[in-house]
Amino acid sequence: MRLSLGISTCPNDTYIYEALVAGLENSPFEWDVHFADVQTLNEMVIRGELDVAKVSAQVFPSVRENYRCLDCGGAIGYGCGPLLLSSRSGAFDPELQTVLPGTNTTAALLFRFWYAHKFGGAPQVRYALFNEVYSSLLDKSSAQGVTIHEHRFTWERDGLHLLQDLGAYWEQETGSPIPLGIAVARSSLSDEVVGNVENEIRRSLSVARARTELVSPFIREMAQISDEKVIEKHIRMFVNDFSENVGKAGKRALMCLWDVSKC
């Protein structure tokens, strides 16, 4: 059976899905793989263009009529949330615009969640791809922005200022892990097919975990950053037991996030 798959080039995605993309032995599937920024993947799923995809957890209420949430392959965890950074000072200024990594990203929702509790009302925002958010902070064309992925590990080195760890705030306020990303599959696929997809993702993750080296040439080639230590930190932070099985705690976190997204 031939299916389309959408994932990002970030190390946690390429780590989990590498063996699946390369072709697992005796797989029931052939995959047409699309690599894209998470906001682009969100938009592709909203348009119904992919059979299986890794997307922002907060986009699910918008696509639940056409997609189902998988029990593996996502990104949920503790201490792994997006960071609100400043290029200029250590104090957030609600009068200034904040640049966010995509309209439908969980990072954007977590920022709004924090802002609503701290200031009330609607923040001034604009949107950009995640790498553009970071570059705009580095060249100081943006005063403040929310960063995700590898940039969680490079802001201090690059002279930026931490205003708020949005994931830590979510954990503090909800008592739940941070539900950043989920894998979804088209609802029209049968239960058997979806079960096989989940088996393939878990098999792929098992292959990755069995390797001696954490970072493969494929992961290194696809990453948006060349620093090997940062790539390793990224994988260790975002790939965990929730990646293999969302479980009860993960499902509670997702339900909490989806309730917040209605507000």
Side-chain angles (χ1 to χ4, degrees):
M1 185 177 186
R2 197 167 196 89
L3 296 176
S4 57
L5 169 70
I7 59 172
S8 79
T9 59
C10 293
N12 60 308
D13 280 7
T14 50
Y15 180 86
I16 293 172
Y17 290 90
E18 178 178 2
L20 182 152
V21 169
L24 289 162
E25 186 176 0
N26 298 321
S27 172
F29 304 112
E30 293 181 358
W31 297 97
D32 294 322
V33 184
H34 303 263
F35 295 101
D37 172 87
V38 64
Q39 176 60 28
T40 301
L41 293 170
N42 291 342
E43 292 169 1
M44 292 177 75
V45 167
I46 289 171
R47 294 192 298 266
E49 295 174 357
L50 296 168
D51 296 315
V52 180
K54 163 75 179 305
V55 295
S56 297
Q58 85 105 350
V59 83
F60 185 68
S62 301
V63 302
R64 68 191 323 152
E65 289 187 7
N66 298 312
Y67 286 87
R68 58 198 286 183
C69 184
L70 301 185
D71 284 333
C72 58
I76 300 172
Y78 297 94
C80 61
L83 303 179
L84 174 60
L85 302 177
S86 171
S87 61
R88 303 175 186 178
S89 73
F92 179 78
D93 187 344
E95 299 301 317
L96 295 177
Q97 194 176 66
T98 302
V99 59
L100 303 177
T103 313
N104 305 112
T105 59
T106 304
L109 179 60
L110 293 180
F111 170 73
R112 292 182 185 280
F113 177 75
W114 171 80
Y115 188 94
H117 282 71
K118 292 295 183 179
F119 302 99
Q124 298 185 56
V125 302
R126 71 176 179 88
Y127 301 99
L129 298 179
F130 85 94
N131 56 319
E132 294 171 352
V133 174
Y134 198 73
S135 62
S136 74
L137 291 170
L138 292 183
D139 67 20
K140 295 186 172 18
S141 60
S142 295
Q144 49 206 25
V146 175
T147 62
I148 57 176
H149 301 325
E150 297 96 323
H151 299 141
R152 197 182 201 286
F153 308 102
T154 59
W155 63 271
E156 194 168 15
R157 178 197 71 187
D158 292 334
L160 299 175
H161 307 276
L162 178 63
L163 302 178
Q164 177 66 51
D165 183 325
L166 297 174
Y169 186 78
W170 170 266
E171 290 183 49
Q172 171 191 311
E173 293 298 308
T174 68
S176 296
I178 310 156
L180 297 171
I182 55 171
V184 297
R186 200 184 294 278
S187 300
S188 58
L189 298 174
S190 69
D191 290 345
E192 180 181 4
V193 169
V194 171
N196 286 335
V197 168
E198 290 180 328
N199 288 340
E200 293 290 277
I201 294 171
R202 291 188 173 110
R203 284 178 62 199
S204 185
L205 176 58
S206 179
V207 169
R209 284 175 164 167
R211 286 199 311 260
T212 303
E213 297 295 326
L214 187 68
V215 182
S216 70
F218 172 73
I219 295 170
R220 195 176 295 114
E221 177 186 352
M222 299 298 286
Q224 298 288 316
I225 195 166
S226 59
D227 189 321
E228 190 91 358
K229 290 183 179 179
V230 170
I231 295 174
E232 289 182 359
K233 287 179 181 178
H234 185 105
I235 294 170
R236 295 186 193 283
M237 175 171 283
F238 293 102
V239 180
N240 51 39
D241 290 343
F242 290 111
S243 306
E244 187 170 4
N245 186 4
V246 171
K248 291 182 179 179
K251 289 178 180 177
R252 283 196 302 270
L254 289 169
M255 293 301 296
C256 184
L257 187 82
W258 296 334
D259 284 342
V260 168
S261 71
K262 300 173 185 175
C263 300

